């Protein structure tokens, strides 16, 4: 099979997916159409429609765009079939029904931001960092009936430095995802649509970590955990959606505080959530040691350094983290 003979429909929505789409277009793969989420209302009155990052790129490069409200809609399915795709590529999109992922003769493969079968789910980058992993990666696999369980085509690893946050890993996996997608396509082309694959159950062990969707309540810091656990938790949610805690004043007033960056110390803790100030440094006790708070954001304010925060707060050591 020649590269130009493989008709590809690309499916994705955020910036993470744009990098892969751009790589395919710039390397002359035959992307015949793009599927993305419908435009979303934004603004104070939600009267302005915002196109997805993938749609903006597709329109700029003259690619046909489909934006179904429902993936089983008969009009959408008819439009999708009209492109006669041999293969569909999915990057950071939504769950597909079988009528969609089974439509092309060579199936549909997904680029997942983890080393499957580890971290199946919606937030693999966040959870890998939260759990203190030193390595993650990207995986391409064919879709089947269950989420992130299909046969693996290819994997590539990516090191997670101890001081890395979500943005660092996101950017690295975004580029690595584009690379593995291109290599997966080359393998599919070389094998006439039938690459060698591995069943996930053949390499799974009993200690599988999962990556469920993250909600506001998921992001609350628990100061009764160890300093290392909290350190990983904060960087695993930074810069978005952001770990948060409750700051309690002596009169019991409470303020929500987001924490974006901390630093590990060897200082012995003084009781979970207890605050200590030393010079221009702000420390909070975890279960074992103290963490230095480096960057934070008080509700209704801008992100700032801990030093700037302390300059604007009186009697800081009389406060505590709940």
């Amino acid at each position: 099979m020649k590269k130009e003979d493989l008709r590809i429909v690309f499916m994705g929505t955020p910036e993470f997916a744009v990098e892969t789409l751009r790589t395919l277009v710039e390397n002359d793969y035959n992307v015949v159409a793009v599927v993305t989420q419908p435009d979303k209302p934004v603004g104070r009155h939600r009267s302005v429609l915002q196109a997805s990052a993938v749609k903006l790129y597709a329109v700029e490069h003259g690619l046909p765009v489909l934006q179904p409200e429902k993936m089983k809609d008969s009009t959408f399915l008819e439009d999708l079939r009209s492109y006669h795709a041999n293969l569909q590529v999915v990057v950071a999109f939504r769950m597909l029904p079988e009528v969609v992922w089974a439509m092309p003769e060579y199936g549909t493969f997904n680029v997942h931001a983890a080393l499957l079968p580890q971290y199946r789910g919606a937030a693999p980058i966040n959870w890998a960092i939260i759990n203190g992993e030193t390595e993650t990666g990207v995986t391409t696999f064919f879709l089947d009936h269950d989420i992130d369980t299909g046969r693996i085509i290819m994997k590539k690893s990516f090191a997670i430095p101890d001081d890395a946050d979500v943005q660092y890993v996101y950017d690295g996996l975004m580029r690595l995802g584009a690379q593995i997608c291109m290599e997966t396509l080359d393998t599919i082309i070389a094998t006439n649509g039938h690459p060698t694959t591995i069943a996930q159950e053949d390499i799974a062990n009993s200690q599988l970590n999962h990556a469920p969707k993250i909600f506001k309540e998921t992001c609350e810091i628990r100061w009764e955990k160890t300093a290392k656990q909290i350190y990983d938790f904060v960087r695993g949610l930074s810069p978005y959606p952001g770990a948060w805690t409750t700051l309690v004043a002596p009169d019991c007033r409470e303020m929500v505080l987001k924490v974006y960056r901390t630093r590990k110390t060897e200082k012995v803790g003084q009781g979970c959530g207890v605050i200590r100030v030393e010079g221009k440094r702000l420390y909070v006790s975890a279960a074992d040691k103290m963490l230095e708070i480096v960057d934070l954001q008080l509700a209704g304010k801008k992100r700032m350094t801990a030093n700037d925060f302390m300059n604007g707060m009186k009697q800081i050591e009389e406060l505590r983290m709940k």
Side-chain angles (χ1 to χ4, degrees), residues 246-263:
T246 303
L247 196 63
V248 183
D251 61 3
C252 296
R253 286 185 300 114
E254 295 185 350
M255 298 169 280
V256 174
L257 187 75
K258 281 193 173 184
V259 180
Y260 291 103
R261 190 156 65 98
T262 65
R263 187 178 292 126

Side-chain angles (χ1 to χ4, degrees), residues 16 22 28 146 148 192 205 230 245 266 271 283 285 296 316:
F16 190 92
R22 178 186 297 114
D28 299 322
D146 297 313
D148 299 335
N192 291 314
N205 57 45
I230 297 171
T245 187
E266 293 301 319
Y283 300 93
S285 290
L296 47 75
I316 185 71

Side-chain angles (χ1 to χ4, degrees), residues 85-113:
N86 309 110
L87 180 75
Q88 292 171 159
V89 175
V90 178
V91 183
F93 194 48
R94 58 197 289 187
M95 186 175 178
L96 303 181
E98 183 176 2
V99 67
V100 174
W101 58 256
M103 188 180 294
E105 60 180 312
Y106 301 141
T108 301
F109 77 78
N110 180 273
V111 178
H112 186 71

